[in-house]
Amino acid sequence: DVQLQESGPGLVKPSQTVSLTCTVTGISITTGNYRWSWIRQFPGNKLEWIGYIYYSGTITYNPSLTSRTTITRDTSKNQFFLEMNSLTAEDTATYYCAREDYGNFMDYWGQGTSVTVSS
Amino acid sequence: EIVLTQSPTTMAASPGEKITITCSASSSISSNYLHWYQQKPGFSPKLLIYRTSNLASGVPARFSGSGSGTSYSLTIGTMEAEDVATYYCQQGSSIPRTFGGGTKLEIK
């Protein structure tokens, strides 16, 4: 069964960079036609799509976040990563990784990792 | 960016009641790219309906979806206590992917 698991530091200081990892089991992230996505949910429950890395390695970002977001992967570990810099309190959220099917819907989600930006 | 507006934002229904949630898009979307998720408190969102009207694996038949263009809806034929959750629509038609603001469904 496909499973995704996020991990991260939990608490980050303003202006710093957060690095999150998504570990995928049950399928290779290089399997065709899937996109490996990052999505965040703010307090109050609004969902925001951050971006994804395609099975081929192509990356697409939300234009509103592209200047301070980097998505990468390690195929040998079947992991993909999110780096976001210049954090402010407005980046406090639960960060999810998810698999996007070729029908452009997210069919598997991780359990989420909370990121709090505070000094 | 395609903005998705859901209504109502919150609602309460009695067991057995039929409920409908709507999702309005700021631009026309192919019905192949409008999807619904269910999120129960403390859990991650779960795919509920994909491509407007297709039930995800394990989803009870009391759930259904319909729509086209800029207007879509999610219906629960008979409300059950386990349906208490927040429901989100999502469009996969264009970048960035966007979600509706959510409809919180409670039980009376």
Side-chain angles (χ1 to χ4, degrees):
Chain A
D1 193 24
V2 175
Q3 294 187 40
L4 297 90
Q5 173 96 39
E6 305 89 347
S7 57
L11 179 65
V12 183
K13 289 183 168 34
S15 80
Q16 289 191 341
T17 297
V18 69
S19 298
L20 303 179
T21 298
C22 183
T23 300
V24 180
T25 57
I27 187 171
S28 169
I29 61 173
T30 60
T31 298
N33 285 327
Y34 294 113
R35 305 175 184 98
W36 301 93
S37 308
W38 287 100
I39 296 148
R40 62 183 178 177
Q41 186 167 37
F42 299 105
N45 294 330
K46 177 186 173 184
L47 288 161
E48 181 177 56
W49 179 80
I50 298 170
Y52 59 55
I53 184 163
Y54 203 34
Y55 77 99
S56 61
T58 302
I59 300 162
T60 300
Y61 296 110
N62 187 322
S64 70
L65 296 171
T66 188
S67 64
R68 58 190 190 98
T69 301
T70 304
I71 296 175
T72 56
R73 67 179 183 175
D74 183 337
T75 57
S76 68
K77 294 182 179 179
N78 217 39
Q79 295 174 323
F80 62 107
F81 311 99
L82 172 68
E83 256 193 15
M84 189 175 289
N85 58 41
S86 305
L87 292 178
T88 72
E90 285 66 45
D91 294 307
T92 293
T94 298
Y95 287 72
Y96 294 101
C97 56
R99 186 181 84 169
E100 182 179 292
D101 186 87
Y102 64 86
N104 302 357
F105 50 86
M106 288 71 163
D107 57 353
Y108 289 94
W109 296 66
Q111 86 287 351
T113 187
S114 179
V115 174
T116 300
V117 182
S118 175
S119 54
Chain B
E1 173 173 322
I2 296 177
V3 176
L4 299 178
T5 303
Q6 288 183 232
S7 64
T9 54
T10 62
M11 67 181 301
S14 301
E17 187 177 344
K18 178 179 179 179
I19 73 105
T20 298
I21 297 167
T22 65
C23 176
S24 176
S26 59
S27 303
S28 184
I29 300 169
S30 164
S31 60
N32 285 327
Y33 298 125
L34 192 287
H35 319 297
W36 292 92
Y37 300 85
Q38 177 192 64
Q39 185 177 30
K40 295 187 176 181
F43 290 87
S44 54
K46 168 191 156 186
L47 180 66
L48 190 69
I49 291 175
Y50 61 97
R51 295 186 186 129
T52 295
S53 59
N54 296 276
L55 298 187
S57 176
V59 174
R62 63 181 180 274
F63 289 89
S64 63
S66 64
S68 65
T70 61
S71 183
Y72 293 85
S73 63
L74 167 68
T75 298
I76 305 176
T78 51
M79 174 73 181
E80 296 196 9
E82 67 179 24
D83 301 333
V84 168
T86 301
Y87 294 84
Y88 299 91
C89 55
Q90 176 248 323
Q91 64 82 18
S93 177
S94 64
I95 297 297
R97 306 294 190 231
T98 52
F99 294 83
T103 296
K104 186 175 183 180
L105 176 60
E106 299 171 331
I107 196 155
K108 286 182 185 174

